[in-house]
Amino acid sequence: MAKKTKLTKDKLIALYMDSVLDHNETPKSVYAFAKMNQFDESEFYAFYGSFEALESSIFETFFENTINTLEKSKDYKDYDDQNRLLSFYFTFFGNLTANRSYVSHSLSAAKGNLNTMKKLRPLRKMFLAFVDQLDLGGFEIKNKRIDDFKDNVVNESYWVQMLVTLKFWLDDDSADFEKTDLFIEKSIAASFELAQTKPLKSVVDFGKFLFKEKMGTR
């Protein structure tokens, strides 16, 4: 009799990602997935109620691993907020790159509209909580309700920036994703200068970069 798999959350995620990539599709059922990997179906439900919940958890795990890596860095706590955000992006997309085949497959159904994907909603919530802790610049308004609304708009704009970067990374075919690294540097510099109401240099620089990529010029 085959020995049953001792299941943990991380093990379950790894088995699921392998299954999706090996068969190029979501498993037909939890029962079939559990049987193929030699654990009881009930063990799956101890962690997740559905494959959809598991898929959302994978993107949460990428986020959590990113934060854990940053918090272990001796230098990170001394960074200003712009460099903290930059470090987050580079570390987060490093995690995505290490799992690019799965991420590309998982997001392929979005057809360019990543914001509609339910599996990214938990990531969005965690990301917004992260950027809310940062001083993203801008001006203060002497009205709490208006100031809170402004902060929400600013935070949401950074989520849009994250989605745009994610789409750029998915389409990036440069060696070692060098274009994505450059995109991250320029987009964050531009967003911080916009927040400080001195946008021209970084916005023009970023615009030139996008134009070159779009038109295929160098």
Side-chain angles (χ1 to χ4, degrees):
M1 184 176 179
K3 185 177 180 180
K4 288 188 175 181
T5 301
K6 180 175 176 58
L7 211 59
T8 64
K9 179 181 175 181
D10 289 344
K11 179 67 174 178
L12 184 56
I13 288 175
L15 290 173
Y16 180 80
M17 292 171 68
D18 286 344
S19 178
V20 168
L21 293 176
D22 286 344
H23 300 94
N24 201 34
E25 63 179 2
T26 302
K28 299 297 184 184
S29 66
V30 173
Y31 171 81
F33 175 61
K35 184 176 181 180
M36 178 176 63
N37 290 288
Q38 301 177 349
F39 62 85
D40 293 332
E41 181 179 3
S42 60
E43 293 181 79
F44 177 94
Y45 294 114
F47 295 96
Y48 302 106
S50 65
F51 286 137
E52 187 176 71
L54 189 157
E55 290 174 348
S56 295
S57 176
I58 291 172
F59 288 93
E60 288 182 279
T61 300
F62 292 149
F63 180 91
E64 290 167 352
N65 289 343
T66 297
I67 296 300
N68 289 338
T69 299
L70 293 175
E71 289 180 345
K72 289 177 183 177
S73 168
K74 295 179 180 179
D75 298 325
Y76 177 73
K77 66 179 183 299
D78 296 324
Y79 288 167
D80 60 25
D81 289 308
Q82 182 171 343
N83 281 307
R84 286 191 176 195
L85 186 59
L86 196 61
S87 296
F88 171 87
Y89 264 86
F90 284 135
T91 307
F92 181 73
F93 278 90
N95 282 323
L96 294 189
T97 297
N99 298 276
R100 184 175 173 88
S101 293
Y102 173 79
V103 175
S104 297
H105 182 281
S106 179
L107 300 181
S108 62
K111 296 180 179 179
N113 193 5
L114 296 172
N115 204 34
T116 64
M117 301 198 82
K118 289 178 66 177
K119 68 182 68 177
L120 293 181
R121 289 178 185 174
L123 172 63
R124 173 183 172 276
K125 183 177 181 180
M126 298 172 81
F127 179 78
L128 289 178
F130 169 73
V131 298
D132 193 51
Q133 298 173 8
L134 304 177
D135 180 4
L136 299 176
F139 50 91
E140 184 177 352
I141 301 172
K142 303 293 185 180
N143 182 299
K144 186 178 186 307
R145 290 179 63 185
I146 297 177
D147 210 44
D148 288 345
F149 175 76
K150 174 183 69 70
D151 290 342
N152 288 336
V153 170
V154 170
N155 291 351
E156 287 290 349
S157 73
Y158 276 91
W159 172 243
V160 172
Q161 182 183 46
M162 165 62 80
L163 294 179
V164 170
T165 308
L166 182 54
K167 179 63 169 60
F168 189 96
W169 173 81
L170 287 169
D171 294 337
D172 187 3
D173 60 0
S174 64
D176 205 26
F177 306 102
E178 293 173 349
K179 290 181 181 178
T180 296
D181 288 346
L182 191 57
F183 183 95
I184 289 170
E185 289 179 0
K186 291 182 179 296
S187 64
I188 289 180
S191 63
F192 267 78
E193 288 205 10
L194 277 169
Q196 297 294 339
T197 66
K198 50 180 182 180
L200 191 57
K201 182 180 183 298
S202 289
V203 172
V204 170
D205 190 28
F206 186 43
K208 287 180 179 177
F209 170 74
L210 290 179
F211 179 78
K212 287 180 181 179
E213 291 305 313
K214 190 70 175 177
M215 301 304 293
T217 60
R218 296 293 183 272

